[in-house]
Amino acid sequence: MDRYENPLFTVFKYVSLIFATIIVLFPIYSVFVGSFKTQKEYYTSGLGLPDNFFNFDNFARVFEVGRLDIGFLNIGTIILVAVCGNILLGSMVAYAVGRFEFKLKNSIVGMFLIGQLIPTITTQVALFSVVKGLMLYNKLAVAMVLYMGADVLQIIIYLQFVKSIPRDLDESAMIEGASLFKIYRSIIFPMLGPATATLVILKTISIYNDYTVPFLFMQSQRLQVVSTAISAFVGPNAAQLNLISAAIMVIFIPTVVIFLLLQRFIFSGVTNGAVK
Amino acid sequence: MFNFSYKTQRYMILFGFLTIPLALLFTFTFYPAAALLYFSFTEWDGLGYDMKWIGLDNYKEVFARPELFGVFQHNLYYFIGGLVQLAAALYFAIILTGKVRGRNFFRAIIFLPYILHSVATAIMFKNIYHAEYGVINVVLGSLGLESWQQLWLADTRFNNFALAFVSMWKFLGLNMVIFIGALQSIPDDMYEAAKIDGASRWQSFRFITIPSIRRVIELMMILTLTGALEVFDIPKVMTNGVNGTNTFILQAIDTAYSYQKFGLASAMSVVLLLMVVALILIQRKFLFKGEE
């Protein structure tokens, strides 16, 4: 797309990019400097740099009072179990439905497609009675099971991908006497690698950010995840904007580091996920 | 390990690989949807077995009471904000696929908000909009623009815009990256050919770029609309829905859990569900037409 460009447009282009950069970074800058300030300093120094960049008191208090460590541990466990479960169950369905012909095949695919139409957030009210009924209320397992079972994105993505794996591979393995399970495990599953990478990225982002499931179904304090821990921390400390800033920084930093390391994969992950 | 015939193995795979996922699908998607429909015809406090069938009364109430159905007008801010944001995302996607210095830097910066934690982001903006100590009012004050200072989250003239802006801030980069993916799949020779034929920049945008990514634009518009209908955590965290900032989901969850009116809340949810499903089906049809 490289053509002669009107110099005015070139100027406009860079001005708009710099404007966008400022809009993105300004809020983050404000919490960053705020997180090192004492409460009094916060209220008097405006946007200025903190007096002391080595003032880590706020961060210490955040871990002590806000127990964000529990939040990270809980959400980490949930993500690990739920994402592994998604990968396993999703690839199994895709193999079964994508490779075999059977009577109910089309209705099963249809059911998953219909399931994809129903956003979980709309059925929360009724989901509550299901969760209660299955004795899952106020258990870590509720989040794992819901993230595994209430979203069918993984099945849609894997199903499309399985079709692109040549059937000759299965057939030559069968000639060598491989079992169907072995074909799934050593041929299909490894070939699904790129789809798996996409899923890991999309699911991790959406589970990490989710607020509704922990807010509605895991009210107990020891089950707090990052989203509920920070909102619980803000309530009683609403006046201490410096502490809140530190809590926000603690939550932002790990994801920013991961993003910088895995940027390329994340870009291709969200792009592949959108075109599903 | 497996000495079964392929026929037996086939049954084992089909049964073993499909039972659990289907059980999950029924338990956590279909059963709740069906139960929701049933609850919506009843009066129920969500706790006991005291459920009274009242037919369509809940639906009548949803549409008759402006504080229930009328709440959708607050969702409208997120939709309009979302459309503005889509236009901006497309603009940045186009300039960042073209020739520009610092391309990867700008892409990464604009995308950054999407990977930041959503609740922490909402709280960050709550601080920024803070009436006394929030940086917006502090900056305006130091520029001598005291008269521009506002109660950003309390004043009904501004608060929904302020909330919708958070959503725009967060999702601009995601949409931009998706548009970049779509733009990169347009072959370069098409632009070359157009250039040889003397097409202007605007003409190649209008007749090559737009038609090539039409499907993606349509998809994103529908996703913006369904996303706007389902907004929950931004108003929940930032204002708890007071001062006219509650959205439909927030209102439904309050109706159920704070007012113990599960029947009414279910009817609200069914209305929302039907709207979302209708929109997605319209989009599918659009996409299908595009493929022909």
Side-chain angles (χ1 to χ4, degrees):
Chain A
M1 275 176 103
D2 109 34
R3 256 152 296 162
Y4 289 110
E5 228 173 53
N6 185 338
L8 262 178
F9 181 71
T10 313
V11 172
F12 181 75
K13 193 162 80 175
Y14 284 101
V15 169
S16 63
L17 283 170
I18 289 165
F19 179 72
T21 308
I22 293 171
I23 295 279
V24 168
L25 293 184
F26 176 72
I28 302 172
Y29 167 81
S30 77
V31 283
F32 175 71
V33 293
S35 64
F36 295 100
K37 293 178 180 174
T38 64
Q39 195 177 357
K40 201 172 147 227
E41 193 188 349
Y42 191 100
Y43 291 144
T44 50
S45 66
L47 271 173
L49 293 174
D51 293 341
N52 178 6
F53 262 116
F54 295 96
N55 172 21
F56 292 116
D57 296 356
N58 296 334
F59 296 95
R61 293 247 330 142
V62 165
F63 277 97
E64 216 173 285
V65 183
R67 299 315 305 268
L68 277 180
D69 45 339
I70 300 183
F72 279 113
L73 188 69
N74 282 337
I75 197 66
T77 319
I78 291 170
I79 288 174
L80 192 71
V81 174
V83 173
C84 288
N86 268 317
I87 292 171
L88 206 63
L89 296 178
S91 59
M92 280 161 43
V93 171
Y95 176 60
V97 176
R99 278 303 198 245
F100 303 104
E101 298 299 327
F102 54 99
K103 232 191 280 170
L104 290 172
K105 180 175 151 157
N106 288 333
S107 17
I108 289 179
V109 175
M111 281 192 286
F112 282 111
L113 291 176
I114 294 170
Q116 197 207 6
L117 293 179
I118 304 174
T120 318
I121 196 149
T122 59
T123 56
Q124 293 298 349
V125 175
L127 207 51
F128 188 74
S129 56
V130 175
V131 167
K132 277 258 163 99
L134 292 172
M135 312 283 215
L136 286 170
Y137 185 72
N138 253 338
K139 301 226 168 72
L140 215 49
V142 68
M144 297 171 182
V145 175
L146 283 180
Y147 297 139
M148 237 188 274
D151 179 17
V152 293
L153 176 72
Q154 66 278 10
I155 291 164
I156 311 293
I157 290 185
Y158 275 134
L159 252 179
Q160 289 188 343
F161 210 89
V162 138
K163 287 183 198 147
S164 68
I165 302 174
R167 274 171 194 266
D168 307 0
L169 290 175
D170 303 36
E171 279 154 21
S172 54
M174 278 166 86
I175 292 166
E176 285 169 26
S179 71
L180 291 179
F181 183 76
K182 189 156 186 235
I183 292 175
Y184 161 73
R185 201 195 59 196
S186 355
I187 297 175
I188 302 293
F189 188 75
M191 297 279 287
L192 290 172
T196 306
T198 298
L199 268 175
V200 169
I201 286 160
L202 293 178
K203 291 276 175 175
T204 305
I205 294 176
S206 79
I207 297 175
Y208 183 62
N209 281 308
D210 183 46
Y211 180 60
T212 355
V213 167
F215 169 73
L216 290 175
F217 305 128
M218 302 194 306
Q219 306 243 340
S220 141
Q221 207 196 349
R222 70 192 161 78
L223 296 179
Q224 275 180 354
V225 296
V226 172
S227 357
T228 40
I230 173 127
S231 61
F233 179 73
V234 168
N237 298 296
Q240 291 175 286
L241 297 186
N242 56 328
L243 278 188
I244 295 173
S245 300
I248 293 169
M249 282 320 288
V250 169
I251 295 172
F252 280 178
I253 289 165
T255 37
V256 172
V257 172
I258 294 172
F259 170 58
L260 293 177
L261 293 176
L262 300 177
Q263 212 192 99
R264 269 188 42 224
F265 299 100
I266 294 178
F267 280 171
S268 64
V270 296
T271 318
N272 296 339
V275 204
K276 64 173 190 277
Chain B
M1 198 164 137
F2 291 103
N3 291 321
F4 303 104
S5 71
Y6 278 123
K7 206 178 154 202
T8 323
Q9 281 188 37
R10 214 179 78 116
Y11 282 115
M12 288 165 67
I13 290 274
L14 287 181
F15 189 76
F17 278 20
L18 292 173
T19 313
I20 296 176
L22 282 173
L24 288 170
L25 181 69
F26 276 92
T27 319
F28 296 110
T29 302
F30 290 146
Y31 175 76
L36 194 70
L37 191 64
Y38 177 75
F39 294 162
S40 73
F41 298 115
T42 67
E43 196 181 295
W44 182 42
D45 65 2
L47 298 168
Y49 297 97
D50 190 17
M51 220 182 259
K52 204 172 92 198
W53 183 269
I54 54 167
L56 287 171
D57 284 5
N58 285 328
Y59 289 94
K60 285 180 196 149
E61 202 176 335
V62 171
F63 290 106
R65 278 170 59 187
E67 71 269 32
L68 300 181
F69 194 74
V71 164
F72 272 123
Q73 72 188 60
H74 303 150
N75 292 72
L76 200 61
Y77 289 90
Y78 296 88
F79 178 55
I80 293 167
L83 290 182
V84 173
Q85 180 246 85
L86 271 187
L90 183 57
Y91 165 76
F92 285 115
I94 288 170
I95 61 176
L96 290 176
T97 32
K99 219 171 122 188
V100 67
R101 269 171 217 271
R103 190 157 81 169
N104 293 334
F105 169 79
F106 286 120
R107 279 186 194 181
I109 289 287
I110 295 176
F111 185 75
L112 182 69
Y114 176 66
I115 52 109
L116 297 177
H117 193 269
S118 57
V119 176
T121 300
I123 293 169
M124 173 174 82
F125 274 97
K126 193 180 170 187
N127 287 359
I128 287 171
Y129 292 135
H130 194 285
E132 239 175 302
Y133 305 113
V135 291
I136 295 186
N137 281 353
V138 167
V139 168
L140 289 173
S142 61
L143 293 174
L145 296 167
E146 277 86 0
S147 59
W148 289 24
Q149 291 178 342
Q150 303 294 344
L151 300 170
W152 300 106
L153 292 179
D155 193 323
T156 47
R157 285 174 301 167
F158 302 105
N159 54 9
N160 280 310
F161 288 108
L163 295 178
F165 179 77
V166 179
S167 168
M168 293 166 70
W169 187 84
K170 186 167 166 59
F171 292 105
L172 173 71
L174 173 69
N175 294 338
M176 179 192 76
V177 166
I178 292 169
F179 279 136
I180 288 176
L183 289 171
Q184 281 172 340
S185 64
I186 306 174
D188 272 343
D189 357 341
M190 288 179 72
Y191 290 108
E192 295 295 328
K195 205 169 120 187
I196 292 166
D197 290 344
S200 72
R201 218 184 150 75
W202 166 253
Q203 281 171 326
S204 56
F205 172 74
R206 172 67 188 81
F207 296 107
I208 299 175
T209 312
I210 291 292
S212 313
I213 62 169
R214 207 194 82 205
R215 285 178 49 187
V216 179
I217 296 177
E218 281 167 3
L219 174 73
M220 307 293 278
M221 282 171 73
I222 296 290
L223 289 180
T224 301
L225 188 47
T226 55
L229 292 174
E230 295 168 19
V231 172
F232 169 69
D233 46 3
I234 291 176
K236 172 73 197 167
V237 171
M238 293 180 65
T239 60
N240 206 9
V242 300
N243 295 320
T245 55
N246 51 347
T247 57
F248 197 71
I249 289 272
L250 189 51
Q251 187 71 40
I253 285 179
D254 259 1
T255 305
Y257 297 98
S258 307
Y259 301 107
Q260 318 295 335
K261 287 186 172 175
F262 271 70
L264 184 57
S266 299
M268 292 177 75
S269 308
V270 170
V271 169
L272 178 62
L273 179 60
L274 292 178
M275 289 170 73
V276 172
V277 169
L279 285 167
I280 299 176
L281 290 178
I282 290 172
Q283 175 231 327
R284 292 281 154 83
K285 231 183 144 190
F286 265 136
L287 288 187
F288 188 65
K289 222 166 63 185
E291 267 166 19
E292 275 175 349

